Structures are given as structure tokens and as C-alpha cells.
Amino acid sequence: MGDGSSGEVPEQRQAEDEPARGVIGAFGRQLKLLRTRAGLERAEFAKRVGYSADTIASYEQGRRVPQPRFIEQADEVLDAGGLLLAMKGEVRRAQYPAFFQDAVRLEAEALELFLYAVQVVPGLLQTEEYTRALLAMRRPLLDQDTIEQRVASRLSRQEVIDRWPAPLLSFVIEEAVLRKPFGGRAVLRGVLEHILLVGQKRNVEIQVMPNDREDNAGVDGPFTLITPKDREQIAYLEVQGRSLLVTGRDEVRSISARYGIIRGQALTPRESSAFVEKMLGEL
């Protein structure tokens, strides 16, 4: 999936993100009220949950998005009775740009995810170092807190791979993507090794589209096909920070057929693993 990783947030997108910032602000105010009610100074509370006082301040002031592990710990330490846990889903979605939040929700509950990648390694297959390298290259520049927040949110999406019941995940990745040394050769080596590891899972199939293919049905660009539970398949398209969820039956059927052709033109999963191993040997 495109991960909300292309483009940057212009003024109109900032307006779209206001509801997300509202959620984070509301969580922060609730957290501070509960901490105060418990009679805990910020430093003492930070010690109990294993975070710095500065981090707690940033959560309470709505400047950073708290991770699920923190929310669970805070709810327990503050004896909140589930008040903070009840906001965990909304807070998690608020980690992403507004245009990407619906796609993240659908991705998390999908029965099938089929993804064609032509620019960067898909977010579900990225390593922490690779993601951080991508975000550091963004223009305009992102501040370090935002980078770390988005690294954490992207990695948290990968939980879908090991979810049970296991979803069926299929990736077709252009060879050119796997040769781009974003972050340096060590980072590239790490993500290629990670792709091989994830590709060994029974519910995951990873294929490479070699550069020398004379026929490629994917010339129109990247896309993701999502099959949600109890709903018909939909498609997700993204470019330059703009996204579109395609639900029209005929259009989705056309994109799905295209993906089938792309898979047939790419290397098989077994051939793809050997191809990636060969690439690693060349680094």
C-alpha cells in the first residue's frame, strides 16, 4: 500500500488532518486529568510507565501520538478502568494522514491484500531503517519527532502479517525498487533480507518483476487490492499525497484482472526468492 508516503502535507491537507489532531489533543487532556486524579507528578508517572517526563508532556499536550503499548500501560497505572483503552483505535488511526486513515482501517481487517509496488518497498515489508531513511528524504523536511512517530506507525501496521486468521498477502515488486539504495547499502541489504524472511511465511507470496520484461501490464502505476471481511474487493490508489478508494464493481474487477496478468508476467515466488538472494550476493 502507498502508506501515505508520497508527497507532503499542503495547507488543504492540514485542514483535513484537524480531526486527527483533535483526537490526539482529547487523549492528552484525558491522560493529564487521570494522572492528576491519581495524585502523580509527571516525573513519577513517567517512571512507572517507563517513559521520559518530556515524552509524557508531549503526549499530554497533544504534540505526539502515543503508541498502543503506552496506552495500555497508562490505563493500568492510572487505574483508568478502560477509559484510555477505549480511545486506542482512534489514536492509532490518527497516526496517519487523513487521506490514508480509511485505507489503514481496511488493511487491518482485510482477508486479502494484493499490492503492486513501483516506487518503494511496500510499507508492510519495510524495515525500521528503510522507513526512517525514506522519511528523512521527504521535502519539505519532517521534524525528528514526526519521523519517529511515522516510523512507529508504519511498523505497527505490519502486525497484520502475523494476525490470525491469517490474511492472504501478495506482493509484486519492480526490480528497480529493490535496487534503489535508499539510506545506503547496509539499509538496502537489511530490507532485502527482511523481504526474504517475510516471504517464507505461508500466507505471504512475494514476486519480482524483472527490468528485462518486454511485457508489463502494470504500466499505469501502483495499486493495492483489498478484500475486507464481509465486503466486496476494493482498490486503493495513491499518488503525490492524494488517494482514492475505488469501489465500483467494474473498475475493481478490471484492476483485479490486471493484477492477475502482472503476477503471470513476474517471476514466481520461488524464482523471486532466488533473484533477491542473487542481488544480496552482489551487494
Side-chain angles (χ1 to χ4, degrees):
M1 189 174 291
D3 315 306
S5 59
S6 62
E8 186 40 58
V9 183
E11 290 184 6
Q12 64 262 36
R13 181 107 57 79
Q14 290 177 359
E16 293 172 4
D17 286 342
E18 284 299 332
R21 285 200 289 269
V23 169
I24 303 306
F27 177 88
R29 291 190 293 273
Q30 186 76 277
L31 176 66
K32 184 175 182 179
L33 284 171
L34 290 167
R35 176 179 62 77
T36 303
R37 186 190 70 174
L40 292 175
E41 294 294 332
R42 187 175 288 155
E44 176 61 24
F45 174 60
K47 183 178 179 180
R48 293 194 185 188
V49 293
Y51 289 75
S52 71
D54 286 345
T55 297
I56 300 302
S58 67
Y59 289 162
E60 291 183 348
Q61 295 163 13
R63 292 186 286 108
R64 290 182 61 182
V65 181
Q67 298 304 304
R69 177 173 170 272
F70 169 80
I71 296 175
E72 293 163 4
Q73 290 177 306
D75 195 272
E76 181 178 351
V77 170
L78 297 176
D79 193 22
L83 287 175
L84 296 178
L85 289 176
M87 300 181 70
K88 188 165 69 168
E90 290 182 72
V91 169
R92 182 177 185 274
R93 286 190 291 275
Q95 299 178 88
Y96 306 98
F99 74 93
F100 190 55
Q101 290 178 19
D102 286 342
V104 168
R105 176 178 52 80
L106 293 166
E107 176 187 81
E109 62 188 30
L111 300 178
E112 298 175 333
L113 285 170
F114 300 157
L115 192 148
Y116 175 51
V118 304
Q119 296 164 320
V120 299
V121 170
L124 293 179
L125 298 177
Q126 291 177 12
T127 61
E128 180 177 343
E129 296 76 15
Y130 186 90
T131 299
R132 187 173 287 108
L134 290 181
L135 293 171
M137 290 186 289
R138 296 277 293 276
R139 297 296 186 274
L141 294 172
L142 300 176
D143 63 77
Q144 198 58 41
D145 279 350
T146 299
I147 288 176
E148 295 307 317
Q149 171 191 313
R150 295 190 183 182
V151 168
S153 64
R154 193 165 301 180
L155 294 179
S156 72
R157 286 174 46 218
Q158 297 178 4
E159 295 173 3
V160 70
I161 296 174
D162 296 312
R163 194 194 71 208
W164 190 261
L168 175 61
L169 307 177
S170 170
F171 303 86
V172 178
I173 308 172
E174 289 287 334
E175 177 189 343
V177 170
L178 301 178
R179 293 195 179 278
K180 295 177 181 178
F182 296 138
R185 295 168 71 87
V187 173
L188 178 58
R189 172 176 288 277
V191 78
L192 292 180
E193 290 174 344
H194 184 64
I195 286 171
L196 287 176
L197 186 65
V198 176
Q200 294 175 10
K201 296 180 180 294
R202 290 188 300 156
N203 62 317
V204 179
E205 292 189 342
I206 300 175
Q207 296 176 250
V208 175
M209 178 72 79
N211 289 336
D212 64 4
R213 287 294 194 257
E214 295 182 0
D215 293 307
N216 185 338
V219 292
D220 283 344
F223 57 84
T224 300
L225 288 162
I226 308 171
T227 305
K229 184 178 181 181
D230 300 325
R231 292 177 58 182
E232 292 190 5
Q233 189 177 59
I234 62 177
Y236 174 81
L237 313 176
E238 180 189 321
V239 62
Q240 291 297 318
R242 294 293 182 268
S243 67
L244 175 67
L245 284 174
V246 180
T247 59
R249 183 175 297 177
D250 290 344
E251 190 172 1
V252 173
R253 184 181 294 118
S254 176
I255 295 172
S256 180
R258 188 182 311 149
Y259 188 71
I261 296 171
I262 290 170
R263 291 189 68 182
Q265 293 169 332
L267 298 175
T268 67
R270 187 183 297 274
E271 291 169 341
S272 297
S273 293
F275 191 89
V276 174
E277 289 177 351
K278 183 175 182 294
M279 291 178 65
L280 277 168
E282 297 169 353
L283 287 177

